[in-house]
Amino acid sequence: MGVDASILKALREAGDGGVSGAELAQQLRISRAAIWARIEELRRLGYEIVASPHQGYRLEAVPDALHADDLLARLGPVRSVGRDIRVFQETTSTNDVMERLARDGVAEGVVVFAESQTRGRGRLGRTWLSPPNSGLWFSVLLRPNLRPQAATQLTVAAATALVRAIRRQTGLEPEIKWPNDVLVGRRKVAGVLTELAAELDHIRHVILGIGVDVNLAERDFPEGLRATATSLYLETGRRCSRAELAATLLEELDRDYQRVTQRRFPELATEWEGLCSTLGRTVRIHLGERVLVGRAEALDEDGALLLRTEHGTLERIMGGDVTVEK
Ligand code: BT5
């Protein structure tokens, strides 16, 4: 952990009691002058750090911005996801940035956030709305030892982690719409884009792109999305700390990723099935030109949806667009 992350962590742990410059200097093994210089820099970034002769430094308020050091300081112990965090003010798409890092051979677990995306995307080249400073738009690089067909397990992991993190931070009860949507009150609040680089028999890397509408107001959504999309702010009436949610989300994602890599997918699938509003319903699935109608029955061991068609056959579905009929 870097110096700024360690300072923020110590300030947070000290709470109202504060922590003296001398204590910080001793903990971090740098001079008090160096601590003071870093505190000045953090203040410049918008952290309100008050200094008093008796209590030392106290963290009064944090900016509503994403900072890599702050996110690292908030994060509990993680095995892979979030070991390395990078934040950009603006990118085309965080998945593009990650693709370049992946090709450069960066280790798995790195996370790239952007405050805004100019070409955020969904599946099949669709557009993902990503206005500045109001959502979480990020990508995670994974290098699992899995067959390419099992990559859907990671979308399942991401959706489940999203539900738990949103629940922990807001008390809302989101639902999963297979394969990659997280809904609150039937409106989409988050989506997952899983991009894969693979050989025939093994995955080279997976980029999990995750978008969460956190503090978007009604006016932030274009007319065409207002009926189908929502934000955590619109659902709770309260602004949510993006940094806090991001840290929670990375912790939950790390946990579910371990379940996938340690071959504990059945456990994850059971949790997912309890959260998924698509199961047990009659659905229409558009797979390019093909349309299938049937009952969504369960997930198989790769994370594919098992659909009992109107003709009684069982089909394994890996992707596609779902409309719930009844
Ligand atoms: C998704 O695609 O739901 C995947 C979204 C993944 C976004 C993240 S953000 C970080 C990373 N970098 C990227 O460039 N992408 C990932 P799909 O199931 O195809 O849904 C796309 C559809 O959702 C669009 O056609 C719109 O109808 C709707 N939509 C677009 N922006 C939205 C938003 N912010 N909130 C809710 N719905 C949205």
Side-chain angles (χ1 to χ4, degrees):
M1 199 184 291
V3 173
D4 290 2
S6 304
I7 293 178
L8 287 170
K9 190 159 195 267
L11 287 173
R12 236 176 235 120
E13 278 166 8
D16 287 343
V19 55
S20 73
E23 278 173 275
L24 281 176
Q26 198 185 19
Q27 260 182 42
L28 275 69
R29 292 170 206 216
I30 54 175
S31 68
R32 287 177 65 174
I35 295 282
W36 181 81
R38 292 321 306 163
I39 297 254
E40 278 303 296
E41 178 61 18
L42 287 168
R43 282 179 175 150
R44 206 186 52 76
L45 291 172
Y47 292 85
E48 286 176 34
I49 300 171
V50 181
S52 77
H54 304 300
Q55 288 184 309
Y57 295 112
R58 229 175 41 227
L59 186 60
E60 292 261 296
V62 298
D64 181 27
L66 300 173
H67 290 302
D69 279 308
D70 186 18
L71 294 174
L72 284 167
R74 288 171 191 263
L75 206 55
V78 286
R79 295 201 40 184
S80 323
V81 178
R83 282 192 310 205
D84 177 357
I85 298 178
R86 308 181 189 190
V87 179
F88 292 81
Q89 276 312 301
E90 186 178 282
T91 58
T92 49
S93 154
T94 53
N95 273 35
D96 295 341
V97 176
M98 196 59 99
E99 190 60 53
R100 289 193 288 276
L101 290 176
R103 275 194 254 119
D104 288 347
V106 167
E108 73 164 1
V110 58
V111 184
V112 168
F113 287 89
E115 286 286 16
S116 76
Q117 299 184 117
T118 52
R119 297 230 310 273
R121 59 176 189 268
R123 294 174 304 150
L124 307 166
R126 294 181 193 126
T127 304
W128 183 261
L129 175 79
S130 327
N133 311 312
S134 50
L136 291 177
W137 327 123
F138 68 102
S139 302
V140 182
L141 178 66
L142 301 172
R143 298 185 185 279
N145 180 12
L146 289 179
R147 291 167 299 121
Q149 302 88 297
T152 314
Q153 292 185 1
L154 299 169
T155 312
V156 169
T160 313
L162 270 164
V163 169
R164 281 202 310 270
I166 292 173
R167 198 196 271 152
R168 259 174 73 185
Q169 285 299 310
T170 63
L172 292 168
E173 287 292 342
E175 292 174 357
I176 298 169
K177 181 177 166 219
W178 190 86
N180 67 326
D181 291 354
V182 175
L183 313 180
V184 174
R186 312 236 152 169
R187 291 188 180 162
K188 183 156 168 173
V189 77
V192 182
L193 172 68
T194 310
E195 293 185 321
L196 181 69
E199 312 293 341
L200 266 181
D201 56 347
H202 79 274
I203 289 178
R204 254 187 285 142
H205 65 253
V206 170
I207 297 174
L208 271 184
I210 298 180
V212 190
D213 299 315
V214 185
N215 291 325
L216 281 78
E218 180 112 13
R219 63 170 184 280
D220 295 321
F221 291 101
E223 197 73 45
L225 274 184
R226 286 190 192 156
T228 54
T230 188
S231 71
L232 301 178
Y233 166 69
L234 288 172
E235 295 301 317
T236 58
R238 288 187 312 269
R239 288 176 67 81
C240 174
S241 159
R242 288 183 305 138
E244 199 62 40
L245 179 64
T248 308
L249 199 40
L250 296 183
E251 282 169 19
E252 296 292 358
L253 206 52
D254 186 63
R255 200 168 129 200
D256 278 353
Y257 183 52
Q258 303 314 319
R259 285 158 116 183
V260 171
T261 56
Q262 294 166 0
R263 304 287 186 262
R264 289 190 285 129
F265 182 70
E267 178 189 313
L268 179 59
T270 306
E271 184 180 345
W272 183 94
E273 286 172 352
L275 299 170
C276 180
S277 58
T278 319
L279 288 188
R281 312 287 288 271
T282 300
V283 295
R284 179 179 291 269
I285 302 188
H286 295 258
L287 295 158
E289 299 286 282
R290 213 167 145 224
V291 179
L292 284 171
V293 179
R295 190 168 174 275
E297 289 206 331
L299 278 188
D300 77 359
E301 67 277 9
D302 284 337
L305 184 71
L306 297 176
L307 185 81
R308 179 71 62 187
T309 67
E310 38 190 357
H311 314 295
T313 55
L314 200 60
E315 296 251 1
R316 285 181 81 239
I317 318 279
M318 302 290 285
D321 283 308
V322 175
T323 330
V324 176
E325 304 252 295
K326 55 182 189 266

